[in-house]
Amino acid sequence: MEIHVIRHTPVAVQKGICYGQLDVDVADTFVDDVAKISIQLDTDYDTIFCSPLSRCQKLSKALHLEGVRLDKRLMEFDYGDWEGKKWEDIPQEKLQPWMDDFVNQKTPNGESLRDIFHRVEEFITTLRAAGYKKVLLVTHGGVIRCLWASILEMPLQNLFKVPVGFHEKFIFNLGTTKELDGIIRKG
């Protein structure tokens, strides 16, 4: 099955603010960004899944996608108590343990990278069993990186080395078993 994945457009958040599952608005460039994305999309998807966060839902609506199914497993990383705070305002004694082991260390009342990875793996398992031929996901950078990690069996600590730009499209091949998975191309 082909999985086409698009990251949402840039957001209206001041630089240096911690946001993941914080429901932030899209940037002023939204209309132009949607035009760039619309030329990348196919029209023959069996189904479309979208993160329930508004930045992804707005993109789905602006692209006139129909039959979109919201799935919480496609939500961005949950920074918990840090959501909406400036990174520089998070006390170093709380930030450093997470920075030293973000793969396993949860943010206060949030999640670890391993947590989001398990969410994405669960979603992949669901897709694999569904028998679709072509699926579109509208989601976030963290989720897309977890897809890369799962399909390429990358160590999670290397996940942030994978560049994922706003409104960038990727195409993955999801086989009936993990051995048949692969990256088709960056769209």
Side-chain angles (χ1 to χ4, degrees):
M1 141 187 9
E2 279 189 17
I3 302 177
H4 294 223
V5 185
I6 292 187
R7 183 180 180 195
H8 61 81
T9 62
V11 294
V13 174
Q14 180 185 2
K15 189 174 176 143
I17 299 292
C18 177
Y19 73 95
Q21 290 190 8
L22 184 67
D23 213 5
V24 298
D25 202 3
V26 295
D28 292 339
T29 59
F30 184 69
V31 172
D32 292 335
D33 295 329
V34 169
K36 292 174 191 172
I37 293 170
S38 64
I39 61 173
Q40 300 179 52
L41 286 183
D42 294 351
T43 57
D44 57 343
Y45 298 108
D46 295 334
T47 192
I48 300 165
F49 291 94
C50 180
S51 162
L53 294 176
S54 65
R55 55 194 182 260
C56 291
Q57 286 194 60
K58 283 183 179 183
L59 177 58
S60 293
K61 288 177 184 162
L63 291 170
H64 307 289
L65 301 174
E66 295 185 23
V68 174
R69 300 164 66 180
L70 302 181
D71 196 306
K72 289 182 178 184
R73 294 173 293 184
L74 297 177
M75 291 175 70
E76 184 59 281
F77 190 91
D78 182 0
Y79 289 103
D81 295 347
W82 298 349
E83 295 277 357
K85 294 183 178 181
K86 290 184 178 181
W87 282 103
E88 64 188 34
D89 291 344
I90 299 170
Q92 192 62 31
E93 67 273 7
K94 293 187 178 195
L95 183 61
Q96 197 58 51
W98 179 76
M99 296 289 285
D100 291 341
D101 185 15
F102 57 85
V103 171
N104 299 300
Q105 183 73 37
K106 293 178 187 246
T107 57
N109 294 310
E111 63 187 345
S112 69
L113 183 56
R114 191 167 306 284
D115 292 333
I116 186 175
F117 180 77
H118 287 306
R119 272 197 282 126
V120 172
E121 287 258 287
E122 180 183 307
F123 181 79
I124 289 171
T125 300
T126 301
L127 276 185
R128 206 182 296 280
Y132 300 118
K133 292 191 179 354
K134 194 172 188 181
V135 175
L136 174 64
L137 309 180
V138 181
T139 190
H140 309 272
V143 171
I144 295 170
R145 287 180 177 100
C146 286
L147 280 166
W148 279 89
S150 176
I151 289 171
L152 295 178
E153 298 181 356
M154 281 174 54
L156 292 180
Q157 63 268 20
N158 295 333
L159 207 62
F160 292 104
K161 294 178 181 178
V162 177
V164 179
F166 289 109
H167 56 68
E168 194 165 18
K169 178 182 171 188
F170 300 88
I171 302 173
F172 299 92
N173 181 54
L174 187 62
T176 53
T177 65
K178 193 154 187 62
E179 292 76 30
L180 298 173
D181 290 351
I183 308 298
I184 297 176
R185 65 188 173 277
K186 189 171 154 179

